[in-house]
């Protein structure tokens, strides 16, 4: 998800907190020729702050284990730690979607295409124009619900009498056309409601099987790196083995909550 949001870096000597100003909006008025433009406005600023913290993991393997295995153990676990670090950062970013000013949907509701359409059009009508392109990130099970909504599949997995896209009447065993055909044949489509749609398995699902995805503009969420993740190898003679320590420093936050919508809906494991 990091490539979908604004990325910033803290250099050495800049501390562990990223600061960026936010400003209230301004307006312009009609003027009369020859009359002074005495329309000074009060502009209020505030500070957006993200404090970074270390994220890391460690793997220890003994000399005996390394000698006994054919695989390149150090390379394998180094890659495993890198993947785990990337997942941890991604999880943090998915949690930032919960900081959007407005939430669409609700606990126990089904994710449908109309919710994405509502988010897209409401972001197009914000008082402060949204900057940057829009992305939608939801749980894979929520995406599945949207596919069923668009492909008009009933609860038992069969076609139902309904109006498709484009408008055709279908029933079980009939042909499928348009968007429905693309979803049935490919399942994954890159864009819905004019917005790029992504699924993320790192989005948390609560005890009630609800999950919070989001629709947001690129600048609305900020991902801050202080130190790029790196692996350090440390030999432990008394333990007769090697430690792999993989550590990086990262922080993130919602910069402008009005440029994002939380999308709350059921994310139960599908059976059809």
């Amino acid at each position: 998800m990091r490539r979908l949001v604004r990325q910033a870096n803290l250099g050495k000597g800049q501390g562990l907190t990223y600061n960026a100003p936010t400003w209230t909006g301004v307006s312009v008025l009609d003027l009369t020729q020859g009359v002074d433009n005495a329309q000074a406005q009060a502009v209020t600023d505030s500070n957006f702050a993200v404090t970074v913290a270390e994220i890391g993991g460690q793997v220890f393997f003994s000399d005996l284990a390394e000698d006994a295995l054919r695989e390149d153990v150090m390379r394998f676990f180094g890659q495993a730690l890198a993947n785990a670090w990337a997942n941890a950062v991604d999880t943090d970013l998915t949690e930032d979607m919960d900081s959007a000013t407005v939430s669409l949907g609700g606990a126990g509701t089904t994710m449908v295409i109309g919710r994405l359409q509502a988010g897209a059009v409401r972001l197009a009508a914000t008082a402060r124009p949204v900057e940057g392109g829009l992305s939608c990130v939801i749980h894979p099970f929520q995406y599945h619900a949207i596919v069923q909504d668009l492909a008009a599949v009933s609860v038992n997995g069969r076609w139902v009498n309904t109006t498709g896209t484009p408008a055709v009447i279908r029933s079980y065993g009939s042909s499928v056309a348009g968007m429905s055909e693309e979803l049935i044949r490919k399942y994954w489509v890159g864009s819905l409601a004019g917005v790029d749609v992504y699924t993320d398995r790192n989005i948390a699902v609560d005890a009630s099987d609800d999950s919070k995805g989001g629709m947001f503009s690129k600048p609305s969420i900020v991902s801050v790196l202080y130190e790029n993740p790196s692996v350090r190898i440390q030999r432990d003679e008394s333990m007769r083995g090697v430690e792999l320590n993989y550590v990086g420093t990262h922080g993130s936050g919602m910069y402008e909550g009005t440029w994002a919508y939380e999308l709350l809906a059921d994310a139960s494991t599908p059976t059809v």
Side-chain angles (χ1 to χ4, degrees):
M1 183 170 159
R2 189 165 186 265
R3 64 187 178 87
L4 303 179
V5 304
R6 192 170 104 198
Q7 299 179 27
N9 292 280
L10 280 174
K12 289 189 176 181
Q14 294 181 327
L16 298 177
T17 300
Y18 170 84
N19 297 285
T22 62
W23 308 90
T24 55
V26 297
S27 60
V28 296
L29 303 173
D30 292 335
L31 300 177
T32 301
Q33 184 178 0
V35 177
D36 184 42
N37 180 12
Q39 304 292 340
Q41 301 173 55
V43 178
T44 304
D45 68 302
S46 57
N47 184 57
F48 167 76
V50 172
T51 300
V52 298
E54 288 184 314
I55 303 173
Q58 182 190 87
V59 172
F60 173 85
F61 52 92
S62 66
D63 296 338
L64 185 61
E66 183 178 16
D67 293 340
L69 296 173
R70 292 182 179 181
E71 293 82 2
D72 186 341
V73 178
M74 191 173 296
R75 181 183 296 275
F76 174 83
F77 284 111
Q79 185 60 56
L81 285 168
N83 292 340
W85 193 92
N87 279 332
V89 169
D90 187 75
T91 299
D92 287 345
L93 288 168
T94 64
E95 293 171 354
D96 289 326
M97 294 188 292
D98 191 26
S99 298
T101 302
V102 176
S103 177
L104 294 177
T109 63
T110 300
M111 183 71 80
V112 293
I113 185 62
R115 196 161 298 165
L116 270 62
Q117 293 170 326
V121 74
R122 288 175 69 165
L123 285 170
T126 56
R128 181 178 177 184
V130 171
E131 298 176 9
L134 298 180
S135 298
C136 178
V137 180
I138 54 179
H139 191 278
F141 296 164
Q142 293 176 327
Y143 178 84
H144 182 73
I146 292 175
V147 171
Q148 288 195 312
D149 178 38
L150 288 174
V153 178
S154 68
V155 292
N156 63 3
R158 296 189 173 192
W159 301 117
V160 295
N161 290 324
T162 186
T163 301
T165 306
V168 291
I169 300 299
R170 301 191 306 273
S171 59
Y172 178 63
S174 66
S175 61
V176 189
M179 173 70 78
S180 297
E181 179 181 20
E182 184 177 6
L183 287 166
I184 292 299
R185 295 185 187 279
K186 297 181 179 179
Y187 191 79
W188 303 106
V189 295
S191 178
L192 291 170
V195 177
D196 292 335
V197 177
Y198 304 88
T199 61
D200 195 321
R201 61 183 177 81
N202 290 319
I203 296 177
V205 179
D206 66 19
S208 301
D209 290 330
D210 294 311
S211 188
K212 296 177 179 179
M215 182 178 293
F216 52 89
S217 68
K218 190 179 182 74
S220 65
I221 299 175
V222 180
S223 170
V224 183
L225 275 179
Y226 174 68
E227 287 184 337
N228 287 318
S230 62
V231 63
R232 296 185 181 181
I233 303 171
Q234 183 173 342
R235 173 77 187 170
D236 191 327
E237 290 295 345
S238 64
M239 288 293 293
R240 302 172 304 287
V242 173
E243 292 178 356
L244 287 183
N245 296 287
Y246 194 91
V247 179
T249 310
H250 179 265
S252 63
M254 177 70 70
Y255 174 76
E256 179 52 70
T258 62
W259 292 348
Y261 278 97
E262 176 190 278
L263 301 174
L264 173 60
D266 178 76
S268 300
T269 303
T271 57
V272 293

